[in-house]
Amino acid sequence: MSHIVTSKTYTTPRRPFEKERLDSELKLIGEFGLRNKREVWRVKYTLAKIRKAARELLTLEDKDPRRLFEGNAILRRLVRIGVLDENRMKLDYVLGLKTEDFLERRLQTQVFKLGLAKSIHHARVLIRQKHIRVRKQVVNIPSFIVRLDAQKHIDIAINSAYGSGREGRVKRKRMKAGAGGGADNDEDED
């Protein structure tokens, strides 16, 4: 039997019961409709790794080939996912990034902001139930990071009951029973 080696995706806080941190995490969970604290810690860990790399590169000289190459790679990646503005492509600005900047780029947040869902929690449910696609691909991971170029292509899935797919289970049952299946609130009961 072989072992699957996986890297850490999050770190737990050093102080478990720090009031300010607990409050700020709970606020983030509510604002972005996250499932648990681990989702916050995962984003914080990603941000910490990016900031650490940027800090290390800032210690090198301006013309250092490693700083130029790796620095550009980090900046390009952050601009592509839409966390950093194109006119702020400097390593100094990377250190000023916040957790919220990354949480804004999640598919769940984007679906809600585009008005495809009634609430941030509704957005999560729609994604998990495979009603949302990015370009032609159905995505059912709420934490999927949406790139800038893919942002315009978030839409209802083609074969979803909300799209042009067949009706949901309850609506079909009602139509079969002869109730006519008026589209008042049938979709909500799916």
Side-chain angles (χ1 to χ4, degrees):
M1 245 197 297
S2 63
H3 279 306
I4 298 170
V5 182
T6 54
S7 57
K8 276 198 299 191
T9 56
Y10 70 97
T11 53
T12 52
R14 281 208 190 102
R15 297 183 173 172
F17 304 112
E18 205 174 8
K19 183 90 171 84
E20 296 84 51
R21 185 187 50 77
L22 288 172
D23 290 343
S24 68
E25 283 175 353
L26 201 61
K27 189 166 177 272
L28 285 176
I29 286 175
E31 190 182 337
F32 293 99
L34 306 178
R35 185 177 57 156
N36 52 25
K37 296 279 177 85
R38 195 188 310 144
E39 292 197 328
V40 177
W41 297 339
R42 186 173 60 204
V43 176
K44 281 188 175 169
Y45 184 62
T46 313
L47 177 59
K49 282 199 289 191
I50 290 168
R51 287 176 54 133
K52 185 181 177 186
R55 264 202 318 270
E56 191 186 321
L57 291 174
L58 280 167
T59 59
L60 305 170
E61 271 105 51
D62 284 342
K63 296 284 177 270
D64 191 302
R66 181 169 163 236
R67 176 173 170 168
L68 291 171
F69 183 75
E70 290 182 19
N72 272 341
I74 289 175
L75 293 170
R76 248 197 354 265
R77 194 179 333 138
L78 292 175
V79 167
R80 196 172 64 197
I81 64 169
V83 176
L84 206 62
D85 289 329
E86 284 206 27
N87 52 7
R88 296 176 62 194
M89 280 188 75
K90 272 199 172 133
L91 283 173
D92 302 316
Y93 290 118
V94 174
L95 300 179
L97 290 175
K98 295 197 291 292
T99 317
E100 289 89 330
D101 299 330
F102 283 87
L103 290 172
E104 283 289 341
R105 300 306 306 164
R106 287 166 52 99
L107 180 60
Q108 183 181 355
T109 316
Q110 293 300 319
V111 166
F112 175 55
K113 290 265 165 75
L114 287 170
L116 295 173
K118 293 172 189 153
S119 73
I120 195 90
H121 305 292
H122 185 219
R124 190 177 185 103
V125 172
L126 287 181
I127 295 165
R128 278 308 292 161
Q129 292 176 356
K130 298 185 177 180
H131 290 299
I132 303 294
R133 67 188 163 116
V134 179
R135 292 204 167 94
K136 290 192 171 90
Q137 182 72 46
V138 171
V139 181
N140 71 333
I141 284 99
S143 64
F144 175 85
I145 298 292
V146 182
R147 290 183 180 172
L148 269 185
D149 55 344
Q151 191 170 348
K152 299 177 208 66
H153 304 286
I154 299 171
D155 202 10
I156 300 286
I158 298 161
N159 57 355
S160 152
Y162 291 98
S164 54
R166 69 180 197 164
E167 288 88 5
R169 177 182 60 82
V170 175
K171 188 169 181 183
R172 288 199 311 270
K173 191 174 167 188
R174 289 207 178 137
M175 286 170 76
K176 193 174 176 184
D184 331 308
N185 59 358
D186 298 341
E187 296 298 338
D188 297 342
E189 295 178 33
D190 260 356

